[in-house]
Amino acid sequence: MHTAQPGRWRALASLCAAQFMLIVDVTVVNVALPSIAADLSLSRSALTWVFAAYSLTFGGLLLLGGRLADGFGRRRTFLLGLAVFTAASLLSGLAWTGGVLIAARAVQGVGAALLSPAAMSIITTTFHGPERSRALGVWGAIGGTGAAVGVLLGGALTAGPGWAWIFFINVPVGLAVLAVLPGLVPATPPQHRPAGLDVPGTLTGTAAAALLVYGLVRAGDAGWASPVVLVTLAAAVGCAIAFVLIARTVREPLLPPALLTNRPVMAGALVMLAASSLLLAGFFLSSWYAQHRLGLSALRTGLVFLPAAVGTILGAHGAAHALGRLGARPTAAIGFAVSGAGAALLARLPADGTALRDLMPGFILLSVGLGAGFVCATTTAMRGVDHHRAGLVSGIVNTGHELGGALGVALASVLAASSLSGTGGMSGLHAAFTACAVAAFAMAALALWLVPPGRPEATDGPVFAH
């Protein structure tokens, strides 16, 4: 039996506040890019790096961050990551040149990669049974609401005190969590301290993830046939192959091969990748429609995302309850089916749209369904994970989130290219939303086979050890 930890729900609130900052920072910059370019005299290619520098280090270092959380202490790794992220946020707001801002954004990503898997592993090892499903439901809601609020916050702060405040706002939140968390989460020694760091695996794994994220980001901007994109993606594949080969030869690899064949972990990571991809694609396309078809300002476009944030929370909350009654398999299938229905409605947006009533029903349904998807992803992957692997599995799931977001925006940019360029009316937007609907319905069917059956048990102890 597990003893309930006092203050665990307050600890969850602190962990979620920190994670919320990380997710917000993925989208908050997008709205502020024109103002940043004007103030710092940045070219279009340099602006891409303001976004990509964060995504590269965040997505590329998540496996290492998870391994460090397991080997050197979850609380210690979390606090280190939060301190780095908070300091880098301050430097980002104070940046006096584009180079300083890009470097600070990269350091933000390093802090995020340490913080995020450590936070999820703290939740997984603190909560048990049905409580874990509820806690992961709250955590899962952060993925969608953070992305939605990032758009709103970016518009409000850029139009108000200025773009620097999209970074300054992280500082008081980070300092507050740094102050309160040590009193809420005990410093537990790691159950398994690795004999040494898998340096070749770390280098190839980080390079594979970072190159893949960058290739996807560039594909959305330059197109899939761009030589830079093709070379980058080929290099990512090469590094991934080297990573797997290295993992089979070293004594303690960064990612044990057994985890690559563990069905719950891989199913959870794939569900997370799909949910993140569909959500970010939907947000990207809906934002374009609101601004370029409905003629809304950046601030009013941000307000449109408030119902989407609420929808994500409702979907996550509903999934957390459904998990105990139905299990993850049907809950995930229902979530993706709901999101598919939302995308199908969005694929019928009128070319002469003049009212939000054309956009909101499909947008909200998409958000509700994918809010459920995020919860199913984390619950499935973390089910029965040994405590000494919790950080690493968290890193795998979070890598799926980052890769999914980059993949979704890249594919949406290509499929909707004729609409985004102004040459094809609504045909490109309709094609992109139709593809999202097809992918969501396909994922709903796949979940009925891929996601392991069963419901969270009251004890919820480890069911595998490697």
Side-chain angles (χ1 to χ4, degrees):
M1 293 293 293
H2 298 282
T3 302
Q5 181 179 307
R8 60 193 181 281
W9 294 106
R10 284 178 291 157
L12 176 65
S14 297
L15 295 168
C16 286
Q19 177 73 2
F20 191 73
M21 291 192 301
L22 310 190
I23 302 301
V24 163
D25 263 49
V26 174
T27 55
V28 72
V29 171
N30 291 341
V31 181
L33 285 178
S35 297
I36 293 173
D39 284 356
L40 299 181
S41 301
L42 294 181
S43 64
R44 180 178 175 83
S45 61
L47 275 182
T48 300
W49 279 104
V50 173
F51 172 80
Y54 179 71
S55 298
L56 256 64
T57 51
F58 189 5
L61 294 170
L62 276 165
L63 288 180
L64 177 60
R67 188 59 183 264
L68 291 176
D70 290 334
F72 300 100
R74 291 179 285 271
R75 192 183 79 168
R76 181 185 304 171
T77 304
F78 173 87
L79 294 174
L80 174 61
L82 181 57
V84 171
F85 181 85
T86 304
S89 296
L90 179 61
L91 181 59
S92 295
L94 295 173
W96 55 96
T97 68
V100 172
L101 177 58
I102 291 169
R105 288 282 288 165
V107 177
Q108 268 191 311
V110 174
L114 294 173
L115 184 162
S116 190
M120 190 191 290
S121 65
I122 290 173
I123 294 171
T124 303
T125 55
T126 299
F127 294 90
H128 307 280
E131 275 198 349
R132 180 187 287 182
S133 295
R134 291 196 292 272
L136 289 176
V138 175
W139 180 265
I142 297 297
T145 56
V149 171
V151 179
L152 170 62
L153 204 58
L157 293 175
T158 302
W163 64 264
W165 285 90
I166 67 176
F167 302 114
F168 286 151
I169 198 170
N170 293 333
V171 177
V173 177
L175 292 176
V177 176
L178 282 169
V180 303
L181 192 89
L184 300 173
V185 177
T188 55
Q191 295 181 337
H192 172 74
R193 191 177 295 276
L197 183 64
D198 173 17
V199 176
T202 299
L203 293 175
T204 54
T206 300
L211 287 167
L212 183 54
V213 170
Y214 181 67
L216 294 173
V217 170
R218 289 290 294 163
D221 184 46
W224 290 89
S226 166
V228 173
V229 172
L230 294 175
V231 170
T232 303
L233 294 179
V237 171
C239 288
I241 293 172
F243 176 70
V244 173
L245 293 176
I246 290 169
R248 296 180 179 278
T249 60
V250 299
R251 179 181 174 187
E252 290 201 45
L254 178 66
L255 180 60
L259 283 182
L260 294 174
T261 57
N262 182 274
R263 184 175 175 184
V265 173
M266 290 299 103
L270 182 59
V271 169
M272 177 61 79
L273 186 143
S276 180
S277 178
L278 289 167
L279 189 74
L280 268 293
F283 281 8
F284 173 76
L285 297 169
S286 298
S287 176
W288 182 89
Y289 182 80
Q291 290 181 286
H292 294 86
R293 289 292 174 179
L294 301 182
L296 302 184
S297 65
L299 179 57
R300 291 186 66 195
T301 298
L303 291 172
V304 170
F305 279 73
L306 272 181
V310 174
T312 306
I313 293 172
L314 291 177
H317 183 70
H321 284 280
L323 284 168
R325 298 183 178 184
L326 304 176
R329 175 180 282 180
T331 303
I334 292 169
F336 279 109
V338 170
S339 67
L345 287 176
L346 292 170
R348 299 169 58 87
L349 285 171
D352 58 347
T354 57
L356 285 175
R357 66 173 175 268
D358 297 320
L359 175 66
M360 296 315 297
F363 195 29
I364 292 173
L365 275 178
L366 181 79
S367 303
V368 170
L370 295 176
F374 285 125
V375 176
C376 291
T378 53
T379 305
T380 298
M382 304 305 293
R383 180 183 173 188
V385 171
D386 282 330
H387 286 192
H388 77 274
R389 293 275 193 238
L392 183 56
V393 175
S394 300
I396 294 171
V397 176
N398 281 293
T399 299
H401 185 280
E402 294 308 301
L403 292 179
L407 179 63
V409 173
L411 290 175
S413 298
V414 173
L415 293 171
S418 61
S419 294
L420 302 181
S421 64
T423 61
M426 290 288 290
S427 60
L429 200 74
H430 288 161
F433 275 128
T434 299
C436 288
V438 171
F441 286 129
M443 194 64 203
L446 182 62
L448 292 174
W449 168 79
L450 180 69
V451 177
R455 295 174 294 175
E457 300 297 333
T459 55
D460 206 23
V463 294
F464 70 88
H466 298 294

